[in-house]
Amino acid sequence: MTYLYTTLGKRSADQLGMILPHEHVFVDLRTPDQPGYAEADEAEVLALMVPEIEAIKALGVTALVECSTGGVGRRADMDIAVSLATNFPIVVPTGNYREPWIPDWVRDASEAELGDWMLRELTDGMDETGVPAGWIKISAGDDGITPLEANILRAAVRASKATGALIGSHTIRGRVVMDQLDIIAAEGGAIDRFVSIHTHAEPDFALHKAIAARGAWIEYDNIGAVPVSESADLIVRALDAGLGPQLLISHDRGWFDPALPGGGTPKPYTVVSTELLPELRRRGVDEATIVQLTHANPFRAFSRP
């Protein structure tokens, strides 16, 4: 049996419904060497983000996957605070982003040391929280994976093999994803425990199919950033190509930004529920497929033993 590892403990499939697999509660896109990086007042974070969570709870969303990782301001304590304030489970990652968002300690660590760190976060808990990470989030450069990014990926494979945790990567170009899949295969990792985040950004649809053909998940996570009709076009195309069992959909929205006064103005996590799903139904997508995309697929992707 597999579970989502959340801020509120393990959750089984029968305890959950709709899951948003790519969102952000707290992000700092400044590099880690910047003054004030990832610093915020918990009360301000709660004031801004609790209403956003309550809005999706009212729409029937039952869990959210936080995609802020090391290097872009992951604050597991803030995720936990928002989760406790709303009684809403959030799935938080371990791992680290791409260059130049890599702190010195990650740059200096060996592959084994990074893998051990990820494994500890997945099993013993993140930072000092005692709450285990639910998955592994990494990234790769648009022009190709660098040696340091490859080292982080190999460390992630070590931790994934030990736990069954999903590895997700912010990788814009499909050819770079294919290179990442080669590394995973060479390290003896499971390609079906990898999600190509931002697959929608790859203009060559043949690469969407090629990534899925190798067994990986693909993710269209720009819902609300482009016209809903455009998102629906791409999703229907993927469904028609038989990619539904490996497709994840989400917004990549939120969030509290400590670089902005009061955390900035969040973008709601509601567009999938209020606009996209009605549009897919109008186009003839049946309810079983809707449930697969919004309930079954995210759980199957992010759950682990």
Side-chain angles (χ1 to χ4, degrees):
M1 189 169 183
T2 61
Y3 303 88
L4 280 193
Y5 281 68
T6 84
T7 47
L8 299 180
K10 294 191 296 186
R11 293 289 187 271
S12 60
D14 59 6
Q15 293 175 293
L16 297 165
M18 182 174 174
I19 301 165
L20 291 173
H22 189 115
E23 310 299 344
H24 296 273
V25 175
F26 187 101
V27 184
D28 194 337
L29 294 175
R30 299 174 292 182
T31 51
D33 58 348
Q34 295 301 305
Y37 169 77
E39 295 178 5
D41 178 76
E42 181 181 299
E44 286 194 340
V45 176
L46 292 174
L48 194 70
M49 298 311 300
V50 163
E52 302 303 318
I53 298 296
E54 295 293 357
I56 54 173
K57 282 180 65 179
L59 292 169
V61 177
T62 63
L64 171 151
V65 177
E66 165 72 271
C67 286
S68 299
T69 190
V72 290
R74 187 197 75 175
R75 285 289 302 269
D77 58 333
M78 295 297 182
D79 288 313
I80 292 165
V82 171
S83 173
L84 291 173
T86 55
N87 191 32
F88 183 85
I90 298 173
V91 185
V92 186
T94 186
N96 208 91
Y97 207 57
R98 61 182 176 171
E99 298 189 85
W101 292 272
I102 297 177
D104 288 342
W105 80 265
V106 172
R107 188 177 302 276
D108 295 340
S110 69
E111 176 192 317
E113 289 169 336
L114 288 174
D116 288 345
W117 165 67
M118 293 180 200
L119 180 58
R120 285 194 304 272
E121 291 222 316
L122 289 162
T123 56
D124 299 337
M126 300 171 285
D127 303 325
E128 304 302 318
T129 67
V131 174
W135 64 296
I136 307 167
K137 168 74 180 295
I138 62 169
S139 182
D142 296 350
D143 297 323
I145 187 166
T146 70
L148 179 54
E149 292 160 358
N151 198 45
I152 293 170
L153 173 56
R154 286 191 294 268
V157 174
R158 283 173 173 251
S160 176
K161 287 167 65 176
T163 61
L166 182 76
I167 302 170
S169 181
H170 169 119
T171 310
I172 299 300
R173 297 287 174 254
R175 60 178 176 77
V176 181
V177 175
M178 298 296 272
D179 292 340
Q180 290 179 296
L181 297 182
D182 288 344
I183 291 172
I184 293 170
E187 295 296 314
I191 288 178
D192 64 358
R193 302 308 295 145
F194 181 88
V195 55
S196 166
I197 293 170
H198 309 317
T199 312
H200 62 269
E202 170 52 61
D204 184 355
F205 187 74
L207 279 169
H208 300 207
K209 294 192 291 184
I211 292 165
R214 292 187 66 175
W217 295 90
I218 61 173
E219 186 175 275
Y220 300 160
D221 47 57
N222 64 336
I223 312 302
V226 298
V228 167
S229 61
E230 184 178 316
S231 297
D233 287 343
L234 183 57
I235 291 167
V236 169
R237 186 178 186 187
L239 294 175
D240 288 344
L243 306 184
Q246 291 162 263
L247 177 61
L248 302 170
I249 57 173
S250 209
H251 304 91
D252 191 10
R253 285 186 148 206
W255 54 74
F256 188 98
D257 183 347
L260 298 175
T265 303
K267 296 178 180 178
Y269 312 120
T270 55
V271 179
V272 168
S273 297
T274 62
E275 299 181 43
L276 176 68
L277 297 185
E279 176 64 19
L280 292 177
R281 291 182 178 105
R282 281 193 290 272
R283 294 180 183 221
V285 177
D286 61 44
E287 211 58 34
T289 302
I290 297 288
V291 170
Q292 179 183 53
L293 294 176
T294 59
H295 297 52
N297 283 2
F299 182 85
R300 189 159 55 90
F302 286 88
S303 63
R304 57 188 175 96

